[in-house]
Amino acid sequence: MISPASTTAWLSGYIPDMPTPFDESDQIDVHAMEALCERQIAAGASALVVCETAGEAATLSAQERGTIIRAAVGIARGRARIIAGAGSNSTSRAIELTRLAKAAGADAVLSVVPYYNKPMQNGLYAHFRAIADAADLPIILHDIPARSARELADDTLLRLSESKGFIGLRDGSGDLTRPMRLRPQLQEGFRLLSGHDATALPYFAAGGDGCISFTSNVTPDLCLTILSNLKQGRLQTARYLQKRLIALEACLAKESPAALKYALSLLGFMHPQTRLPIVPLDDPAKAVVANAIASLDEDLTITAEA
């Protein structure tokens, strides 16, 4: 079983941002979800992210969110924490989603910087404080300026981290100096996680605690091996293994979640069905994903249990 809820040690390593599996009728495929979760737990993932970026959260109804979170909680059975995406650019909506996640049994939520409406830093602080005050559930902040058009400034992050309700940051800023800059000022136990697979290794090396990852959905064992080598001081080996993932990371970053779903369909874990405005990959993009997987020496042909 995982460590007590009073600690944040579990918020570390490679944590998959999991896709939402749909069947050919566009319904939640719980059987496929079980296979995906069990594979990650067997590989040693300490937590699983659902209903977030890779999960096509914007297309999910409240009922579907509840179904996915409850299913993940039931599958994990305490062997891994369940982190639910619960962000919105409407504070009241973000509160609703956080309360829904808590009712469905999630252990924590990811709450993104409000997108499109570009609030000032005092507005960001007030937004996240209102969520924390309204719903008693640990919050992992999600800073991703490329999508939100507004960054979570260091000063705002530090103010929020003073509250025990905020336990970590999914850092999509791409700023690799951030862990070194922030660590001495953060409250003990606050965790820093890269939001991009391409920056995971240098982020770890700079003092980051983990990575919320697309790639680890496809190669969980290889990602674990990379981190293990880094922790043991085998930086050259970790770099070599990381280079093997460059082609896969590039195509997943460019066309996900469609590329991620297609990759997992090639491995037999799920149907590649997406929801508009995301469409399935065209044939050239499929070939790129297939070639990236084929180029890996690791055996990725293990299929989901029937």
Side-chain angles (χ1 to χ4, degrees), residues 7 14 83 92 114 154 162 178 181 183 191 206 255 291 294:
T7 74
Y14 278 92
I83 304 168
S92 61
D154 287 359
E162 293 174 359
R178 211 170 189 188
R181 188 171 70 244
R183 181 64 71 197
R191 314 294 274 183
E255 300 288 0
N291 289 336

Side-chain angles (χ1 to χ4, degrees), residues 14 197-198 200 213 215-216 218-227 238-253 292-293 295-298 300:
Y14 278 92
D197 285 291
S213 166
T215 305
S216 65
V218 183
T219 60
D221 293 326
L222 182 53
C223 288
L224 180 65
T225 301
I226 291 169
L227 182 57
R239 284 174 174 166
Y240 167 75
L241 295 173
Q242 184 69 43
K243 286 180 181 178
R244 290 169 55 195
L245 290 174
I246 288 175
L248 179 63
E249 289 172 351
C251 61
L252 294 185
I293 291 177
S295 70
L296 295 171
D297 294 331
E298 183 187 35
L300 299 177

Side-chain angles (χ1 to χ4, degrees), residues 100-123:
L100 184 156
K102 180 178 176 63
D107 297 289
V109 294
L110 261 169
S111 196
V112 71
V113 168
Y115 39 88
Y116 187 76
N117 43 15
K118 300 173 67 174
M120 65 288 288
Q121 291 297 317
N122 284 340

Side-chain angles (χ1 to χ4, degrees), residues 127-149:
H127 169 83
F128 289 121
R129 281 298 326 170
I131 297 168
D133 291 343
D136 183 21
L137 197 63
I139 296 171
I140 303 160
L141 300 162
H142 186 184
D143 185 22
I144 183 163
R147 291 179 184 263
S148 66

Side-chain angles (χ1 to χ4, degrees), residues 154-155 157-159 161-162 178-188 190:
D154 287 359
D155 288 347
L157 173 64
L158 291 169
R159 288 175 68 196
S161 75
E162 293 174 359
R178 211 170 189 188
M180 291 183 289
R181 188 171 70 244
L182 289 175
R183 181 64 71 197
Q185 305 177 72
L186 287 167
Q187 297 295 310
E188 183 179 359
F190 191 91

Side-chain angles (χ1 to χ4, degrees), residues 14-218:
Y14 278 92
I15 296 173
D17 183 350
M18 301 186 69
T20 299
F22 302 120
D23 61 24
E24 293 184 2
S25 300
D26 197 39
Q27 301 301 306
I28 306 298
D29 187 342
V30 176
H31 178 73
M33 187 173 179
E34 180 176 5
L36 292 169
C37 291
E38 288 291 355
R39 183 180 185 226
Q40 292 295 328
I41 293 169
S46 61
L48 311 174
V49 173
V50 297
C51 302
E52 239 282 335
T53 308
E56 298 173 87
T59 72
L60 299 173
S61 68
Q63 181 178 0
E64 287 174 327
R65 284 174 178 266
T67 296
I68 293 166
I69 298 167
R70 285 191 295 272
V73 170
I75 294 163
R77 302 190 306 279
R79 296 173 293 165
R81 300 293 174 96
I82 302 302
I83 304 168
S88 174
N89 63 340
S90 161
T91 304
S92 61
R93 175 63 172 161
I95 289 171
E96 290 173 4
L97 293 175
T98 303
R99 287 173 171 168
L100 184 156
K102 180 178 176 63
D107 297 289
V109 294
L110 261 169
S111 196
V112 71
V113 168
Y115 39 88
Y116 187 76
N117 43 15
K118 300 173 67 174
M120 65 288 288
Q121 291 297 317
N122 284 340
L124 294 182
Y125 179 81
H127 169 83
F128 289 121
R129 281 298 326 170
I131 297 168
D133 291 343
D136 183 21
L137 197 63
I139 296 171
I140 303 160
L141 300 162
H142 186 184
D143 185 22
I144 183 163
R147 291 179 184 263
S148 66
R150 181 73 78 200
E151 82 285 351
L152 184 65
D154 287 359
D155 288 347
T156 307
L157 173 64
L158 291 169
R159 288 175 68 196
L160 291 168
S161 75
E162 293 174 359
S163 168
K164 292 183 179 180
F166 300 96
I167 63 171
L169 170 71
R170 181 180 186 177
D171 186 0
S173 70
D175 183 353
L176 297 178
T177 69
R178 211 170 189 188
M180 291 183 289
R181 188 171 70 244
L182 289 175
R183 181 64 71 197
Q185 305 177 72
L186 287 167
Q187 297 295 310
E188 183 179 359
F190 191 91
R191 314 294 274 183
L192 296 173
L193 304 106
S194 170
H196 299 301
D197 285 291
T199 64
L201 187 58
Y203 202 88
F204 283 130
D209 300 292
C211 176
I212 295 182
S213 166
F214 283 9
T215 305
S216 65
N217 283 286
V218 183

